[in-house]
């Protein structure tokens, strides 16, 4: 049985840690933070303060025209962007892969999804469903006071600043939901390129500018700025023309910019999608019935895209019992067999290694990919840890997302301890339940807790793979996001960028 | 012609100012800030820190039960509150009048509206329309990845803190939209009583507790605390159990508490409805056709409830021209004829007098009620000022709401100056257009500007009298509110207190 020893975590753990420590020492000595290859790449200097102001002045000027265009015109603009994505797919994917190492198959799926998502938002612009009109008839004879006729609908907020994610260079970057939903409802957009894939951002920006020209959009409706320095992000948020910000990134970055947004003379909505633990709860019946299947699915979810998914399951909670050994055995087996995977860049790989190193204080490493990672290719191995509830709750490091292919299995004594642990969790994008026969009673108690912590709850599923549709929700309570009322993926993403206006007593339209 | 002289504002102005200055001197000498009568009233000590914690602990505990009650149960609770309001109407109105001087007729209308509003929210709880369910069917055969079934609906955020307004002791206080919409969707509520009408708050709280007992609601679902000190408000916002705050009051108070909410370890939504100028734009055609009618309606709107309405028109903009004299003449006439009115309390009356005193630096007083106000009854006279665009834009005092029966007429040279002035305004709850023949061209330019500044735009109407319905919107861009996406009056007020949860791959319900 793979068990947890608190004082000495055993020879396997020591061997594994030693190998990683050697790897890391080698890596620090021989691999610069930016790989040698990147020196030859074109450089993208940070936007100056004047460039930031100028982009937002243009966005504000364009807004007064762009917001008043017929929905059909904006729909054609978005469709031209989606068409451009597909037309230039090969070039875009190649570029994105060279900057992110995410791999061609994954990027092909992402590009297709991004184009489809763009067309969904084009349809939104065309139908005007985002206007959400509602009305009350006038009642001139009403007592004690006559009632005026009222008609409300949504209007766009104004220029929106978008700061995309490192891990989705297409779907959550320059042409992602943030940009497309804002453009659909008549907001103009200034994107800060992600410094992890600046050339991809440039290529996508060119594509949007071409689409804008082709469909005769006003100058300034869209623009891209580069800004690795925090100054650029801060100035974009502070600029008085900015009326909302959509950000995807770290908790630290999100918190810092949220404070900037809240402290403006005119505070503005700041939507950040940040870190998340995405716990899986494997209940006793499920563990009894499908321990191997769940273990295999779990490790696959942890390693998908090198664990660089907002919804990677960073922890799995399960109750001690006779089926647990089978589950752990299979998890260890699959993890050992998993190939090391290239992470987005050396900095992210180093961060990941530092984070999992911190885990070892209160958790035991039970498995890692057997094959050694290629450090110079920024590879990392999948790493699986085990701990118990009290060690987990006692160590804030374990409760912090490690962006990469690792996860922590938390063994709890009984149902009561499981519910206590669930209650102690912070906000998260997703939580997943694995349910089998006899688990109904726990589900009845656990589900309301998980729904109070998460934006999306999965039943017998694994979180990666959010679907950009009507009913999805990619959000969650703090610190998963800054605003649990909104989603950053799916059609309703547009609600972040509109507000209602009410017309009272107006003549019939 | 009543004209504007910049150096010397004329003998009428001097006479009027002299009278007010004498009044104020007398008042400061002889009338204590709290009237003598109030000493005899029962006192309501501020809640201790322990009482704040205890109320929110109870609200959090109750939440887990209350949110899971069938909608029908919550509907009956809200209906019992509405029934209680009507049953005890006489006593409540008498008490509210003794604390606010708003007058019996106005309070009768307000009570009826509050009861009706409560029943609207009961119906919302009963139908479950607030759940806003949406779903996507599973597509297990979809390529490249199968699509899981998704079902989303809204869930309540948790315990809500409500801080009501001084000027609506029934409709925007203990049993107002904030409380009733939060209770309808399953949030529990802690209200901070307004120190301007604490006994009314106590009476309403008792009524809610009785309704809760009658309908078997969990203890802690509702509670009332007193807190004239800022400490109580701050502690209520800071308490970790608080998940959202609804506040109606001053810009200063709203800003201070918004900062507290944003700086919590877990930031929470903070909805404040604050000050507002509510400009009226009287266009040339309207002025030509209906100058007397508009002047009469304008002064009535300024004096309604002693000008203590969130949507009192604090300014009126119109273009110089031959019809302006008639308009000013009628405005002066009606203002002179208006009776002085008792304000909510001595402090508010003093504030009002201080604010209008500041106006005199850059605006000319053209009319005031002829009848002298009774200072010891906290009465104030309606005061009407005139200025021009450059003086208005040059003096921040004129651009700040004076809570009470005053308004400033801003004369502009031409259409261009009118549009420039409109563009320079801050966010506001309402803006009103008075339109006549030949005004269409200006409306086309002005309406988009006003819609970018206001939450509600009125056509040939005057703003007071918001209707708590489906299509209304009582909100607006900063500094009118902290969150222009939401309304604090009308059915959609509940959207402040819910967020979506998505269930993925769940078995059919």
């Amino acid at each position: 049985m793979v068990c947890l020893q608190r004082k000495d975590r055993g020879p396997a753990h020591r061997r594994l840690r030693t190998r990683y420590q050697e790897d890391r020492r080698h890596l620090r000595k021989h691999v610069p933070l930016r790989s040698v290859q990147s020196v030859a790449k074109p450089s993208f200097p940070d936007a100056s303060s004047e460039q930031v102001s100028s982009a937002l002045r243009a966005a504000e000027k364009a807004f007064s025209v762009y917001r008043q265009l017929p929905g059909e015109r904006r729909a054609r603009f978005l469709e031209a962007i989606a068409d451009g994505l597909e037309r230039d797919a090969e070039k875009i994917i190649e570029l994105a892969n060279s900057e992110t190492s995410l791999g061609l198959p994954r990027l092909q799926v992402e590009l297709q999804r991004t184009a489809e998502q763009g067309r969904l938002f084009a349809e939104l612009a065309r139908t005007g469903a985002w206007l959400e009109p509602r009305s009350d008839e006038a009642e001139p004879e009403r007592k004690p006071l006559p009632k005026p006729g009222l008609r409300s609908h949504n209007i766009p907020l104004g220029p929106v600043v978008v700061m995309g994610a490192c891990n989705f260079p297409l779907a959550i970057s320059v042409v992602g939901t943030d940009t497309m939903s804002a453009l659909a409802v008549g907001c103009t957009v200034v994107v800060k390129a992600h410094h992890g894939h600046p050339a991809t951002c440039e290529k996508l920006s060119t594509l949007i500018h071409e689409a804008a020209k082709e469909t005769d959009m006003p100058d300034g409706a869209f623009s891209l700025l580069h800004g690795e320095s925090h100054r650029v992000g801060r100035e974009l948020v502070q600029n008085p023309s900015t009326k909302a910000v959509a950000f995807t990134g770290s908790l630290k970055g999100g918190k810092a910019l949220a404070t900037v947004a809240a402290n403006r003379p005119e505070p503005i909505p700041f939507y950040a999608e940040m870190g998340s633990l995405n716990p899986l709860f494997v209940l006793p019946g499920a563990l009894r019935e499908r321990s191997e299947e769940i273990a295999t699915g779990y490790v696959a979810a942890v390693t998908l895209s090198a664990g660089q998914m907002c919804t990677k399951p960073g922890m799995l909670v399960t109750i001690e019992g006779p089926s647990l050994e089978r589950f752990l055995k299979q998890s260890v087996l699959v993890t050992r067999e998993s190939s090391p995977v290239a992470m987005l860049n050396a900095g992210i790989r180093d961060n990941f290694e530092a984070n999992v190193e911190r885990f070892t204080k209160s958790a035991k490493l039970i498995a890692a990919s057997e094959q050694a990672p290629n450090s110079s290719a920024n590879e990392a191995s999948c790493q699986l840890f085990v701990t118990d509830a009290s060690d987990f709750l006692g160590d804030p490091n374990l409760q912090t997302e490690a962006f990469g292919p690792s996860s922590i299995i938390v063994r709890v004594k009984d149902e009561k301890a499981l519910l206590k642990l669930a209650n102690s969790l912070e906000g998260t994008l997703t939580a997943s339940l694995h349910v089998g026969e006899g688990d109904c009673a726990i589900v009845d108690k656990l589900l309301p807790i998980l729904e109070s912590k998460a934006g999306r709850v999965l039943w017998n599923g694994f979180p990666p793979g959010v679907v950009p549709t009507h009913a999805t929700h990619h959000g969650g309570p703090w610190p998963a996001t800054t605003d649990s009322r909104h989603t950053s993926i799916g059609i309703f993403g547009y609600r972040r960028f509109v507000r209602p206006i009410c017309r009272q007593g107006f003549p019939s339209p």
Side-chain angles (χ1 to χ4, degrees), chain A residues 81 164 169-170 199 233 241 262-263 268 277 304 329 336 343 358 367 371 381 395 420 508-509:
Chain A
I81 297 172
L170 309 175
S241 298
N263 290 331
I268 49 170
L277 271 189
L304 184 69
K329 214 168 164 180
R336 284 184 183 155
M343 296 195 70
R358 274 184 219 113
Q371 192 186 320
S381 297
D395 187 348
K420 188 184 160 200
S508 296

Side-chain angles (χ1 to χ4, degrees), chain A residues 406-419:
Chain A
S406 71
S407 192
I408 302 169
I409 297 166
V410 186
R411 303 158 63 137
V412 296
K413 279 214 173 61
D414 50 24
E415 183 187 316
K416 197 177 150 197
L418 180 133
L419 296 174

